[in-house]
Amino acid sequence: MVSKKSTQRRHNRRLEAVHLCQHSPSSSFSAIAKQMGCRHGFVKRWVTRHQQLGHVRDSPRSGRPHKATAAAVQHVLMAAQLPECTSAADIAARTKQDLEVQLSRSSVTRILKRKGMQHLSPKVVPLLTAMQKAARIKFARAALRTEVVSWRRVLITDSKYFKLYAMGKPAGRWCTPASRGALGPRGQQTVPASWKMGRQLAAAARQCSTP
């Protein structure tokens, strides 16, 4: 890749040739080239372009044509919304299966980023922090002493705990700025309905036992 400094130096060199030609109209291209220490064709090319176009910038280049067609780009965008396509490799494999078009992972990534999409991973939240664990251990040790905690007005119920979240490292998804908020955190602890019911029963028992 050409750096900005080298591009600026070439541009200044071209302007120098145009400047010398304008201020020395009697001088030939060969004389200006000898003064600048460059070739005769360099001075002639950029002075002529400045007279025709009014600048010495490089002409725009078309570049290599895109390998992905409009249908392939549309299919990549639709595949990115599927739950089973979480990575660029999955989207490339799905495109090859449906359209028989071979796209690399880097090509899929460039297509999605060109359309304003970004690959995000859900934030993994620990079930219990170190502070919460220490607080529960402190409560359990204090609860062993009946003079500190009275269990006469406590209703103990049994409940079933269901893990409603995905285990392990959550998979990322391709998201647009509009759908970024729909990617909620996974791995975060949720309170089961049985726990809520147990707290409601405990509150009702306390109200009934209150004189």
Side-chain angles (χ1 to χ4, degrees):
M1 184 177 180
V2 182
S3 63
K4 293 183 178 180
K5 291 184 178 180
S6 60
T7 303
Q8 186 64 32
R9 285 196 297 266
R10 290 201 307 269
H11 189 265
N12 294 338
R13 189 76 168 167
R14 298 166 187 174
L15 289 178
E16 181 182 359
V18 174
H19 177 78
L20 291 176
C21 185
Q22 290 178 348
H23 288 75
S24 302
S26 58
S27 300
S28 61
F29 293 151
S30 300
I32 297 176
K34 185 177 181 179
Q35 182 180 353
M36 294 179 57
C38 61
R39 293 181 300 176
H40 168 270
F42 175 85
V43 178
K44 181 179 180 180
R45 180 190 312 116
W46 295 111
V47 170
T48 304
R49 179 171 297 186
H50 186 272
Q51 294 174 352
Q52 294 176 352
L53 303 178
H55 62 81
V56 292
R57 298 188 301 270
D58 291 327
S59 301
R61 299 181 180 180
S62 59
R64 182 176 65 87
H66 295 289
K67 183 178 180 180
T69 60
V73 172
Q74 189 66 24
H75 186 275
V76 167
L77 296 177
M78 291 190 299
Q81 305 299 326
L82 298 177
E84 61 271 15
C85 296
T86 58
S87 64
D90 297 337
I91 298 174
R94 187 62 180 264
T95 305
K96 182 179 179 181
Q97 177 183 354
D98 296 345
L99 301 181
E100 298 183 355
V101 176
Q102 182 68 36
L103 294 177
S104 62
R105 292 180 297 177
S106 57
S107 298
V108 172
T109 302
R110 285 194 296 269
I111 291 172
L112 294 174
K113 288 187 176 181
R114 198 181 301 125
K115 297 299 181 179
M117 301 187 71
Q118 186 178 6
H119 192 269
L120 300 177
S121 297
K123 182 180 179 181
V124 180
V125 181
L127 298 181
L128 290 176
T129 62
M131 185 179 298
Q132 291 172 341
K133 293 179 181 179
R136 295 191 178 197
I137 294 175
K138 181 179 179 181
F139 171 79
R141 289 175 178 174
L144 294 176
R145 303 170 56 186
T146 56
E147 65 272 11
V148 177
V149 179
S150 177
W151 298 97
R152 295 181 179 180
R153 296 183 177 182
V154 177
L155 176 64
I156 299 177
T157 61
D158 189 14
S159 61
K160 182 64 176 177
Y161 180 76
F162 296 94
K163 295 182 178 180
L164 303 178
Y165 52 87
M167 300 298 294
K169 184 179 179 180
R173 292 295 306 276
W174 284 96
C175 304
T176 60
S179 63
R180 184 177 301 178
L183 189 67
R186 298 167 65 183
Q188 185 177 6
Q189 186 179 15
T190 57
V191 179
S194 58
W195 289 13
K196 298 180 181 179
M197 184 178 298
R199 288 199 296 265
Q200 293 174 1
L201 292 175
R206 286 195 298 269
Q207 293 177 0
C208 295
S209 61
T210 303

